Amino acid sequence: MTEGVEVHQTQTNSTDAATAAVTRSRTSSLQAVETDPGSEEPHQQEDESSRFLEVQHHSKGGAEDSSDGPVAPDGGWGWVVVAATILVLAMTLAFPSCIGIFYTDLQNDFQASNTETSWVPAIMMAVLHAGGPICSVLVESLGCRKTIIIGGILSGLGMAASSFAQTIVELYITAGIITGMGFSLSFQPSITMVGHYFVRRRAFANALSSIGTALGLSTLPLLANYLLSSFGWRGSFLVLGGVLLNCCVCGAVMRPLGAKPKMEARPGETDNPQLKTNCLSISQEREGLKGRLRATLSTVVPFLRRHMAFDLLCSHPYFCAYAFGVSWMMLGFVVPLVYLVPYATTYGMEQDRAALLMAILGLINITVRPATALVFGLPRFRGSHNFAYLFATAVLINGLSNCICGIATTFSVLLAYVIVFGVSMSLIGSLLFTVLMDTVEMSRFPSALGLISIMESIMLLLGPPLAGILVDSTGQYAYVFFACSITGSTAGLFIMLSFYWLDRQKNREVKSSFTHKDSSSVNPSIKMTIDCDYTPVPLQSNNVRDMETDV
């Protein structure tokens, strides 16, 4: 046993000696650095690189990501931005729903079927959402304020020009493409501005701004019904085009927080665009077709990443699940808004009572959305990660509520349907952008919104025409609402189960990482001492016994 103790002491002394040698070598190196006059250059390079990285971080981050840049006020002029966003959403997102008021007149005037007539709101909503990348480019080059003003001009001119349409195809171009693009350039920058002005109260601000959709749903059908009875559908479209020009006024109050600091140029880089172009053309001529393709891809891939966020579909599982779930929900989400009035009038309900249903739907949204904004603005809900599950539950209830509409066509049954559909729709509208802002970084929000908008536009373009084909083939509007019930309920279940599974996987990874850290945090000197006390002693004693036996 004394021999084992001696061995342990010997190893301990050797360890102390090695430690002292390392300390002496570090001390000598530090002294050498202090005496060497040229050693200050690495420190200067490190300071310059740190300053460059700091400027680069500020140039990429959003309002809440940088401390030296513009800070989100969470109030002040932000409430004016929220009020302007409410009006913009009322005139853009809610506008396609009032097309159902003119549905029968358009069908009779152009002698079109349900499928052909349904393309008008379908194209409008599809272009409204598909214009995300174009909107992102304009926002980056012109800013949110100018982009919203351009959108207001386009939507107003497109709706006014649609009043002179002589064919259904001309209506597709004017009311569908031009007006829809104006809507896209107006509503997406407004949502982005709200996200920049609010960070701590973002859920409350988004829920409050979503009142605009409810405001439009409650007022536009009544206004459209009044204009239709007074001026016809052509005069109504002309007046509505003038109303849409108010988006320019709303865009004028979207005051930017501040200019982003420009990144300092590295040494050796030039700002001469002609010189860069000449160098690029020379390199392309040298490399030939392969070099041209490579240069094209090198510009296209950053463009797609900046404005459409395709990389998030592969690298961000939460965003991927949310994007696909919301896109599938949109296949049948807006179809009831288009077909509710024709469904009610076909079975004998008066036009005024059918329009009243749409107004009640908007009033429910106006009542519920401020309440949800106040609830989500409470301190206990700030920073909550359960908004995604609440959003999925609202989508599930919204999808199942469409089954009520297929039971009967009386005013009381349709009123019950409108109440359930309106409450769930309010929750969806209040949380749609909040969940996306919580899922991705704010610096990637415009591009992520642009990608989701494109995916939504495909479903919005297919939804109403598919419903029209179903009505033309069966002659029953009830099947349309049953189909919408299937798409909505399955979308809600998909989002809920996907986020639950991803949360479980994330919790398992966190627990495994903590377990690995705990196992690796044991002091290695204790392990060495235990090994030295236990293993060498029996080996030494056995060797002595063997020697004695041999002797």
Side-chain angles (χ1 to χ4, degrees), residues 106-187:
L106 294 176
Q107 192 173 7
N108 295 332
D109 195 358
F110 294 107
Q111 296 298 317
S113 62
N114 286 288
T115 305
E116 293 174 344
T117 309
S118 63
W119 279 106
V120 177
I123 295 175
M124 182 185 293
M125 289 183 291
V127 176
L128 189 153
H129 290 82
I134 300 176
C135 179
S136 179
V137 173
L138 291 178
V139 167
E140 185 177 353
S141 58
L142 301 177
C144 291
R145 173 186 286 177
K146 295 180 180 179
T147 304
I148 296 172
I149 294 175
I150 293 174
I153 295 174
L154 273 180
S155 59
L157 292 179
M159 204 63 198
S162 64
S163 63
F164 301 99
Q166 299 299 323
T167 61
I168 193 70
V169 177
E170 294 178 1
L171 204 62
Y172 294 160
I173 298 173
T174 54
I177 298 176
I178 299 177
T179 305
M181 180 56 66
F183 289 164
S184 178
L185 298 181
S186 296
F187 104 91

Side-chain angles (χ1 to χ4, degrees), residues 29-79:
S29 62
L30 289 174
Q31 292 175 356
V33 169
E34 291 177 356
T35 55
D36 190 3
S39 62
E40 296 178 357
E41 296 179 358
H43 295 288
Q44 294 177 356
Q45 294 177 356
E46 291 179 359
D47 295 337
E48 292 176 357
S49 62
S50 62
R51 287 195 297 268
F52 173 77
L53 291 175
E54 184 178 0
V55 173
Q56 186 177 12
H57 172 72
H58 290 323
S59 65
K60 292 183 179 180
E64 77 276 15
D65 296 331
S66 61
S67 57
D68 296 336
V71 180
D74 275 306
W77 191 259
W79 299 120

Side-chain angles (χ1 to χ4, degrees), residues 63-373:
E64 77 276 15
D65 296 331
S66 61
S67 57
D68 296 336
V71 180
D74 275 306
W77 191 259
W79 299 120
V80 179
V81 174
V82 170
T85 304
I86 290 174
L87 296 178
V88 170
L89 295 184
M91 291 181 287
T92 56
L93 290 183
F95 191 87
S97 63
C98 73
I99 299 296
I101 304 296
F102 308 102
Y103 191 90
T104 305
D105 292 87
L106 294 176
Q107 192 173 7
N108 295 332
D109 195 358
F110 294 107
Q111 296 298 317
S113 62
N114 286 288
T115 305
E116 293 174 344
T117 309
S118 63
W119 279 106
V120 177
I123 295 175
M124 182 185 293
M125 289 183 291
V127 176
L128 189 153
H129 290 82
I134 300 176
C135 179
S136 179
V137 173
L138 291 178
V139 167
E140 185 177 353
S141 58
L142 301 177
C144 291
R145 173 186 286 177
K146 295 180 180 179
T147 304
I148 296 172
I149 294 175
I150 293 174
I153 295 174
L154 273 180
S155 59
L157 292 179
M159 204 63 198
S162 64
S163 63
F164 301 99
Q166 299 299 323
T167 61
I168 193 70
V169 177
E170 294 178 1
L171 204 62
Y172 294 160
I173 298 173
T174 54
I177 298 176
I178 299 177
T179 305
M181 180 56 66
F183 289 164
S184 178
L185 298 181
S186 296
F187 104 91
Q188 292 190 18
S190 302
I191 298 298
T192 304
M193 287 297 292
V194 173
H196 285 304
Y197 266 89
F198 293 89
V199 175
R200 186 169 50 90
R201 300 175 179 176
R202 181 173 292 167
F204 174 75
N206 285 326
L208 191 62
S209 62
S210 66
I211 299 175
T213 306
L215 182 64
L217 288 174
S218 61
T219 56
L220 287 179
L222 297 177
L223 177 63
N225 188 42
Y226 171 75
L227 293 176
L228 180 62
S229 60
S230 302
F231 307 105
W233 72 267
R234 294 184 182 274
S236 301
F237 280 16
L238 185 61
V239 174
L240 290 174
V243 172
L244 293 176
L245 289 176
N246 288 286
C247 291
C248 301
V249 181
C250 297
V253 302
M254 297 286 184
R255 187 172 63 193
L257 285 175
K260 295 182 179 180
K262 296 183 180 180
M263 185 173 61
E264 296 178 359
R266 294 183 181 181
E269 290 185 352
T270 178
D271 294 333
N272 191 351
Q274 185 176 2
L275 182 59
K276 289 183 179 180
T277 305
N278 295 332
C279 295
L280 184 60
S281 61
I282 293 173
S283 62
Q284 289 180 356
E285 289 179 358
R286 291 178 179 178
E287 297 183 5
L289 180 61
K290 184 177 180 180
R292 293 177 183 176
L293 292 176
R294 187 180 302 169
T296 303
L297 290 177
S298 64
T299 55
V300 170
V301 172
F303 176 83
L304 294 178
R305 185 181 184 275
R306 179 180 298 178
H307 301 292
M308 299 181 68
F310 276 109
D311 60 310
L312 293 178
L313 291 177
C314 301
S315 61
H316 204 305
Y318 284 95
F319 173 77
C320 184
Y322 184 72
F324 282 106
V326 171
S327 301
W328 180 249
M329 176 197 71
M330 286 297 174
L331 182 62
F333 183 67
V334 298
V335 171
L337 302 179
V338 177
Y339 282 93
L340 180 60
V341 175
Y343 174 57
T345 54
T346 302
Y347 289 96
M349 187 177 295
E350 297 179 358
Q351 181 79 15
D352 295 337
R353 292 174 67 86
L356 182 61
L357 290 173
M358 295 296 297
I360 293 173
L361 178 63
L363 291 175
I364 292 172
N365 279 265
I366 290 179
T367 305
V368 175
R369 295 198 185 201
T372 57

